[in-house]
């Protein structure tokens, strides 16, 4: 049996076929494909704040991209450009804390990295153009900013990325204070692009979007860690 | 106690939301809310993946609504009004075959009920208006046919056979919403147990040889009557107790 990887999802009004603006759980299919190509079985997790019992059946978790995290989660007032989805925050933070407690392998993408940061007691820049004075992390609607990142020697992300440090970003917020996490990757402007928790078996957050290229370096590493998890706990099932 | 985990078969579909137009794994939230409201925990099962190993993690499964099933699966040429999703067909036929083999509790909704017939050797009517001469099983295009304030189109009664699972759940009759243009012709290994009294279109099927396998042609997830979901979640809890 392949390891089962949960992917957190949006809830949005979606339009397709005969349906117009029908409230739907959805996530870009790139995430599903990235997990499949890396040898895992993806299931999508609609937000649910009742409890985190679904983790009993998962071998790994992807915190997917999405809207901004509510600033009161890290003690700030909202910036005018901050757009949040409080229900998703509540559900994903509950999942995230429970996943950390059981040392479930975790990959955070974009918003997911920012959630990891907030859960670790850190904080975010709410609107990067105000801080950095440029738009390289989100050049325009639907356009990814291609950059060349620098990684900390000896870190997990440095080993995974190998010779190709190219990243594709689409975000207007960023990590200000990583809290208990270790920053292991940076954009040319110094903004954190990767965070890790060296005390846990696999906790990695990246600010860019590895799913768009179905990057097997990262999703493969998550699935490999989840396979170990799956083998280790199968007696409990 | 941990809630039973209920898989929902989902779309991989080009969708528009906000300024985005992209391929998404997705499903209307009404299905998710129906599962959560009746005590289960829902996860979406995307159709891209041909493996069935995910069933080992589930306590129950809902085969959800969607596009038409490819008539090639029962050896018929396509009707001009038939619009198929072959990727989803392939995935759901495999999942349903494996779920039936495993005795996993299952609910089929609309397309999902039709999948129950097709996957066990049955067949469908490809365009009901040709057969029954009216459009009452489907609302006008472009409206939301399942909204609470929708027109009378797509609402009708269902009468139910005595001494069946469906009869225990619903009694002798109920009124349902309706949004489909195809219907079960031959239910395969399933039994037809509920019909629209006006035109004898099959509205409910069940499988006496399975712990819980119920198909309904309407959309209970778009109503307050969640009895089919309640029954699925109860069966999922029972099934887990047996397995443990």
């Amino acid at each position: 049996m392949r390891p089962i990887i949960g992917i957190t999802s949006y809830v949005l009004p979606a339009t397709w076929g005969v349906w117009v603006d029908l409230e739907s759980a959805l996530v870009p299919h790139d995430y599903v494909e990235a997990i499949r190509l890396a040898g895992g079985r993806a299931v999508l997790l609609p937000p649910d704040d009742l409890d985190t019992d679904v983790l009993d059946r998962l071998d790994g978790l992807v915190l997917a991209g999405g809207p901004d995290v509510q600033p009161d989660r890290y003690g700030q007032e909202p910036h005018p450009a901050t757009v949040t989805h409080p229900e998703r925050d509540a559900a994903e933070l509950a999942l995230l804390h429970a996943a950390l407690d059981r040392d479930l392998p975790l990959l955070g993408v974009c918003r997911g990295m920012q959630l990891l940061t907030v859960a670790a007691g850190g904080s975010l820049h709410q609107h990067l153009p105000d801080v950095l004075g440029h738009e390289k992390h989100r050049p325009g609607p639907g356009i990814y900013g291609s950059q060349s990142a620098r990684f900390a020697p000896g870190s997990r992300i440095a080993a995974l990325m190998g010779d190709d440090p190219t990243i594709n970003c689409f975000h207007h917020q960023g990590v200000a204070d990583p809290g208990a996490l270790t920053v292991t990757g940076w954009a040319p402007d110094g903004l954190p692009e990767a965070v890790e928790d060296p005390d846990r078996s696999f906790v990695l957050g990246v600010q860019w979007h590895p799913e768009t290229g179905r990057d097997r370096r990262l999703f493969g590493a998550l699935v490999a860690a989840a396979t170990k998890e799956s083998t280790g706990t199968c007696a409990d099932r | 106690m941990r809630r039973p985990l209920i898989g929902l078969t989902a779309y991989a579909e080009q969708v528009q939301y906000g300024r985005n137009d992209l391929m998404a794994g997705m499903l209307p939230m009404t299905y998710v809310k129906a599962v959560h409201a009746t005590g289960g925990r829902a996860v979406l099962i995307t159709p891209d993946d041909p493996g069935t190993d995910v069933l080992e993690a589930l306590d129950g499964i809902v085969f959800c609504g969607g596009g038409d099933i490819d008539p090639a699966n029962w050896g018929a040429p396509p009707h001009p009004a038939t619009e198929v999703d072959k990727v989803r067909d392939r995935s759901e036929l495999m999942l349903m075959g494996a779920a039936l083999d495993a005795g996993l509790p299952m609910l089929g909704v609309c397309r999902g009920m039709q999948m129950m017939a097709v996957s066990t050797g049955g067949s469908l009517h490809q365009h009901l208006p040709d057969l029954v001469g009216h459009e009452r099983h489907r609302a006008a295009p472009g409206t939301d046919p399942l909204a609470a304030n929708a027109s009378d189109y797509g609402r009708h009664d269902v009468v139910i056979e005595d001494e069946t699972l469906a009869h225990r759940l619903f009694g002798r009759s109920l009124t349902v919403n309706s949004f489909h243009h195809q219907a079960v012709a031959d239910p395969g290994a399933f039994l037809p147990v509920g019909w629209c009294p006006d035109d004898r279109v099959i509205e409910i099927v069940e499988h006496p040889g399975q712990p819980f396998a119920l198909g309904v042609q309407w959309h209970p997830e778009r109503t307050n009557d969640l009895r089919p979901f309640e029954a699925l979640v109860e069966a999922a809890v029972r099934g887990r107790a047996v397995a443990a």
Side-chain angles (χ1 to χ4, degrees):
Chain A
M1 182 174 175
R2 294 166 296 170
I4 298 186
I5 310 294
I7 305 173
T8 60
S9 71
Y10 292 80
V11 175
L12 287 171
T15 297
W16 78 102
V18 300
W19 305 103
V20 178
D21 286 344
L22 193 59
E23 187 188 46
S24 300
L26 68 85
V27 78
H29 200 244
D30 285 340
Y31 286 99
V32 177
E33 276 295 280
I35 294 294
R36 185 179 71 83
L37 292 169
R41 197 345 165 172
V43 297
L44 309 189
L45 308 176
D48 167 45
D49 56 1
L50 277 181
D51 65 36
T52 59
D53 50 3
V54 70
L55 294 178
D56 289 351
R57 300 294 178 89
L58 301 181
D59 304 306
L61 181 63
V62 175
L63 298 160
D68 300 327
V69 182
Q70 278 179 288
D72 62 6
R73 297 277 183 184
Y74 48 94
Q76 291 183 17
E77 294 295 315
H79 182 283
T82 296
V83 177
T84 63
H85 188 158
E87 268 184 36
R88 194 168 157 188
D89 288 351
E92 290 188 2
L93 282 167
L95 271 185
L96 170 50
H97 283 294
L100 290 171
D101 284 349
R102 58 180 79 195
D103 202 18
L104 197 70
L106 257 174
L107 175 63
V109 173
C110 195
R111 162 190 165 83
M113 163 168 162
Q114 296 170 1
L115 272 174
L116 281 170
T117 299
V118 171
S123 66
L124 306 179
H125 295 301
Q126 286 193 55
H127 195 56
L128 286 175
D130 292 354
V131 181
L132 301 172
H134 66 74
E135 301 256 9
K136 286 181 186 159
H137 296 277
R138 191 176 67 173
I143 300 169
Y144 290 92
S146 179
Q147 307 194 63
S148 189
R150 176 169 61 82
F151 300 110
S155 64
R156 181 190 298 277
I157 191 65
L160 291 177
M161 295 297 280
D163 298 333
D164 184 2
T166 310
I167 60 173
N168 58 333
C169 292
F170 186 75
H171 58 104
H172 80 113
Q173 299 201 335
V175 169
D177 165 8
L181 299 174
T182 306
V183 177
T184 55
W186 298 265
D189 58 19
L191 188 76
E193 290 289 338
V195 293
E196 300 180 27
D197 183 345
D199 295 334
R200 290 194 167 80
S201 38
F202 190 97
V203 173
L204 174 64
V206 297
Q207 186 58 73
W208 69 94
H209 285 274
E211 79 283 2
T212 58
R214 289 88 188 268
D215 191 336
R216 288 184 74 153
R217 294 173 296 182
L218 271 60
F219 287 93
L222 173 69
V223 169
T227 304
K228 246 180 262 168
E229 168 81 4
S230 167
T231 313
T233 59
C234 65
D236 303 332
R237 291 179 180 234
Chain B
M1 190 183 70
R2 188 173 60 74
R3 293 169 294 169
L5 193 63
I6 308 294
L8 306 176
T9 63
Y11 296 78
E13 182 82 25
Q14 192 74 22
V15 300
Q16 291 84 49
Y17 61 94
R19 285 183 305 204
N20 302 284
D21 183 343
L22 54 72
M23 179 65 94
M26 59 91 58
L27 191 70
M29 273 299 283
T30 45
Y31 290 100
V32 174
K33 288 177 174 173
V35 169
H36 289 177
T38 53
R41 182 12 162 158
V43 296
L44 274 51
I45 309 297
T46 44
D48 65 322
D49 196 319
T52 61
D53 49 2
V54 70
L55 296 178
E56 293 173 39
L58 301 179
D59 301 306
I61 186 165
V62 182
F63 290 86
C64 295
D68 299 329
I69 300 169
D70 187 349
N73 287 301
W74 66 93
H79 184 284
T82 297
E83 292 178 17
V84 303
D85 179 346
K86 290 185 183 185
V87 173
R88 192 164 161 193
D89 284 355
R90 197 162 53 242
S91 162
E92 290 187 357
L93 284 167
M94 287 184 68
L95 281 172
M96 187 169 284
L100 287 169
D101 286 347
L104 190 69
M106 67 168 71
L107 173 65
V109 173
C110 196
R111 167 192 164 87
M113 161 170 152
Q114 297 171 0
M115 189 56 78
M116 288 172 158
V118 173
S119 79
T120 59
S123 65
L124 306 181
H125 297 300
Q126 287 190 55
H127 194 55
L128 265 186
D130 293 352
L131 183 76
V132 298
H134 63 75
E135 289 263 9
R136 282 198 295 280
H137 289 275
R138 180 169 68 166
T143 62
D144 183 348
L146 302 176
N149 59 354
S151 69
D152 288 335
Y153 264 31
R155 274 182 202 280
H156 60 75
D157 290 341
V158 173
V159 293
I160 299 170
E161 181 113 330
D162 285 345
E163 295 178 15
T164 60
L165 164 65
H167 191 273
R168 285 196 295 282
L169 277 179
F170 303 115
R172 291 184 62 188
S173 71
L174 78 163
T175 302
V176 300
N177 60 14
S178 189
F179 184 60
H180 60 106
H181 79 115
Q182 301 202 335
V184 170
D186 169 358
F190 281 75
L191 286 181
V193 295
W195 296 265
C196 177
D198 303 336
D199 50 28
R200 303 301 286 172
V201 168
I202 296 173
E203 294 283 337
I204 311 177
V205 298
E206 61 187 52
H207 196 308
Q210 290 285 322
F212 182 90
L214 178 75
V216 299
Q217 184 59 70
W218 70 93
H219 286 273
E221 81 284 359
R222 301 292 295 269
T223 73
N224 291 326
D225 184 355
L226 298 179
R227 285 177 288 181
F229 287 91
E230 266 170 29
L232 172 70
V233 169
E234 276 170 27
V237 171
R238 275 200 309 276
R240 197 172 58 192
V242 170

